[in-house]
Amino acid sequence: MSKRELRSADSAPPVGTYSQGLVVGDFVYTSGMGPLDPKTGEVVGSDVAAQTRQVLANLAAILREHGLGLDDVVKSTVHLQDLHRDFAAYDEVYREHFTKPYPVRTTVGSDLMNILVEIDFVAYKKS
């Protein structure tokens, strides 16, 4: 198995020991991405809607490095700091960024590090 790293200056830099994204065969896997500004590293937005928009922008930048867009996403995993309070607002923003058929998705409540939302993707592109 070969894997190739994807990096984008238009996405938040890693804050630990991980890649922004990896290409493995016909699939692209992203790391869990938070709402960090790519230039400053600061958290963007104080509500889940603003933070979700930034997370999706960060993830889209990583996908673009391999010629993909959000319509190429087949699976997303979403972590919300406060699942019950924030699900509706997060889902409204998420829906604005995808078309049918939507990616499969798992959404869970998690203890996040000073952010309200974290998302990772699996995307597909036929070689």
Side-chain angles (χ1 to χ4, degrees):
M1 172 189 73
S2 91
K3 54 186 178 177
R4 180 174 61 89
E5 183 177 20
L6 294 177
R7 289 182 90 49
S8 173
D10 294 329
S11 186
V15 295
T17 310
Y18 58 87
S19 299
Q20 287 178 322
L22 289 176
V23 178
V24 182
D26 293 335
F27 289 91
V28 170
Y29 300 87
T30 71
S31 65
M33 188 60 59
L36 302 181
D37 181 284
K39 307 235 182 312
T40 67
E42 298 294 319
V43 173
V44 173
S46 60
D47 62 41
V48 76
Q51 289 193 12
T52 299
R53 282 187 187 88
Q54 184 63 50
V55 169
L56 294 173
N58 288 341
L59 288 164
I62 295 166
L63 295 176
R64 277 194 305 273
E65 292 296 315
H66 193 59
L68 297 172
L70 294 178
D71 284 337
D72 298 303
V73 174
V74 296
K75 168 85 168 96
S76 65
T77 303
V78 180
H79 300 266
L80 295 175
Q81 176 68 31
D82 191 324
L83 181 63
H84 297 286
R85 179 192 69 201
D86 289 341
F87 182 84
Y90 139 78
D91 191 58
E92 183 177 329
V93 172
Y94 186 94
R95 187 179 307 116
E96 294 169 4
H97 288 80
F98 291 94
T99 58
K100 291 183 179 180
Y102 299 122
V104 297
R105 180 176 80 187
T106 301
T107 306
V108 297
S110 295
D111 187 15
L112 301 174
M113 294 174 51
N114 301 315
I115 60 174
L116 301 175
V117 59
E118 180 176 320
I119 302 173
D120 68 77
F121 287 156
V122 176
Y124 177 81
K125 181 179 183 181
K126 182 71 175 156
S127 311

